Amino acid sequence: MKTDKEPDNHLAEEVYTKSRLPLKVIIPFLLFIPVFGFLANFPINSILTDVVSKNLREMQTCPITFEKIETSFFFVPKLIVKNPSISGICFKMPGQDLKFNDIVITFRGPSFYPPGLKFHAAIEKDKSQLHIYPSISYNRAIIKITDTVIDSAILDNFMSDKGYIKGQFSIEALIDMSLQKVTSADIVIKSKNLVIPGRNIGGFVFDSLDIGSFLLKASKGNTEKIFINELVAGSANGPLSASFDGEIFTNDYNFSFSNLNLKGGLSFSSAIKNNEKYGFLSFLFANYQTKNGAYQIRIGGTLEAPLMTPL
């Protein structure tokens, strides 16, 4: 039987069929090409950098300078602020700028309260690690601080008298801000290794005191007053134990000059009271009432120079 001979360059129909891509793959790919081209050529990096730079440098209440800003859009969008320096104006200590390693800011999605965007800022400096989670809207920001450890070396930036305390402190805080002003704040600070280095206080010499535990619970409203709800240091097994509450009236120009108004009790261990080196304690607290073995004290003065008087 005679059959038609196919041309040498003819391919079987099944070859064509197997090589075809389905339309559901081709169409999205074709649609993505102009989008990819737009993103590749649109100067989003420079725009973000300019916007962030402008806002950081122009914050009058807390200006921040830095070397440069880098961006990354791989997997999770993020900004990297290189070698930032936070002005001492932020914590009422002009000229005492606080320098950090890089700040890494990642986008965490939309915020429903307040309506806006959520971010995570990770900051490191020596032994300190800060994790800040701001939710930002047009004129409001709610800032959560958690999983954060601050070394006492950073605290020296808030005080003119350096090395007043030693140790690491964990921080949990929730801060509500409106128009760059704090309207409310709650903060908890804890430590397990608080040490007060040896020093001369009012002519009385103290050796280094290993206090150990420390707890501070504070809150703030829309006034310049910080409420100290609980301030506890030391334990019955340590060299001393203290428990206070009260308020701090913050100084707008220099935080270390903020006025104190605290009331509470302070007690010393038997080892301290029976040590001849500390015989001056009985003279120092001669006019103080005691309650459950603790001297009843009012602390006034300033953060820089606290002043004890009988309660």
Side-chain angles (χ1 to χ4, degrees):
M1 180 182 294
K2 185 179 180 180
T3 59
D4 295 334
K5 185 179 179 181
E6 295 178 343
D8 292 338
N9 61 351
H10 177 77
L11 295 176
E13 182 65 26
E14 57 269 21
V15 174
Y16 291 102
T17 303
K18 292 180 180 178
S19 65
R20 292 192 185 112
L21 288 173
L23 289 176
K24 64 181 181 180
V25 174
I26 296 174
I27 292 177
F29 178 75
L30 293 175
L31 292 175
F32 180 74
I33 288 177
V35 175
F36 178 80
F38 173 78
L39 292 176
N41 292 281
F42 189 72
I44 189 169
N45 179 74
S46 61
I47 290 176
L48 281 174
T49 300
D50 291 344
V51 170
V52 173
S53 300
K54 183 175 183 294
N55 281 274
L56 288 179
R57 289 195 172 105
E58 290 185 358
M59 289 193 300
Q60 296 181 356
T61 57
C62 187
I64 300 175
T65 58
F66 50 88
E67 180 182 312
K68 64 178 179 178
I69 293 179
E70 297 177 352
T71 59
S72 172
F73 299 97
F74 180 73
F75 190 61
V76 177
K78 63 182 176 182
L79 296 174
I80 303 173
V81 183
K82 308 292 289 186
N83 300 320
S85 178
I86 301 177
S87 171
I89 296 174
C90 301
F91 35 84
K92 312 295 174 57
M93 291 287 289
Q96 299 286 335
D97 294 353
L98 185 55
K99 297 180 180 180
F100 287 96
N101 299 337
D102 298 347
I103 300 178
V104 180
I105 305 172
T106 54
F107 175 64
R108 295 178 62 87
S111 168
F112 298 101
Y113 185 78
L117 301 175
K118 292 191 296 185
F119 298 90
H120 169 223
I123 310 171
E124 292 186 5
K125 179 179 173 61
D126 302 328
K127 297 179 182 180
S128 300
Q129 294 184 342
L130 293 80
H131 292 277
I132 304 171
Y133 299 85
S135 297
I136 302 173
S137 67
Y138 173 70
N139 60 356
R140 188 181 181 190
I142 295 180
I143 302 170
K144 181 180 180 181
I145 300 175
T146 187
D147 300 324
T148 290
V149 177
I150 297 293
D151 186 75
S152 55
I154 283 187
L155 300 180
D156 285 344
N157 289 272
F158 298 86
M159 308 296 292
S160 299
D161 191 3
K162 312 299 182 185
Y164 203 83
I165 58 175
K166 299 290 184 182
Q168 285 76 44
F169 303 85
S170 65
I171 298 178
E172 301 284 333
L174 186 63
I175 304 168
D176 196 338
M177 299 183 68
S178 179
L179 300 175
Q180 297 188 14
K181 291 185 178 181
V182 175
T183 56
S184 68
D186 292 285
I187 184 169
V188 177
I189 302 176
K190 298 180 181 179
S191 178
K192 295 181 179 179
N193 60 357
L194 173 63
V195 174
I196 300 178
R199 62 194 306 111
N200 186 314
I201 302 178
F204 301 103
V205 179
F206 287 86
D207 290 334
S208 179
L209 298 177
D210 187 356
I211 306 301
S213 62
F214 173 86
L215 171 65
L216 171 65
K217 294 183 179 180
S219 58
K220 186 181 186 303
N222 56 4
T223 66
E224 295 302 315
K225 183 188 296 186
I226 299 175
F227 295 95
I228 305 301
N229 303 315
E230 188 175 359
L231 173 59
V232 180
S235 65
N237 299 322
L240 62 80
S241 62
S243 178
F244 289 87
D245 58 33
E247 58 232 350
I248 299 175
F249 299 91
T250 59
N251 187 296
D252 289 337
Y253 302 100
N254 192 319
F255 187 74
S256 65
F257 293 158
S258 298
N259 292 308
L260 302 173
N261 182 26
L262 304 176
K263 301 176 184 178
L266 171 65
S267 60
F268 296 93
S269 68
S270 298
I272 292 288
K273 290 188 292 185
N274 295 330
N275 190 331
E276 293 183 359
K277 186 175 183 178
Y278 297 110
F280 61 82
L281 289 176
S282 58
F283 169 75
L284 186 64
F285 291 100
N287 297 324
Y288 288 75
Q289 299 292 325
T290 60
K291 182 178 180 180
N292 298 325
Y295 297 110
Q296 300 302 292
I297 297 171
R298 182 193 304 274
I299 299 180
T302 66
L303 284 171
E304 182 76 12
L307 177 63
M308 292 193 312
T309 56
L311 183 61

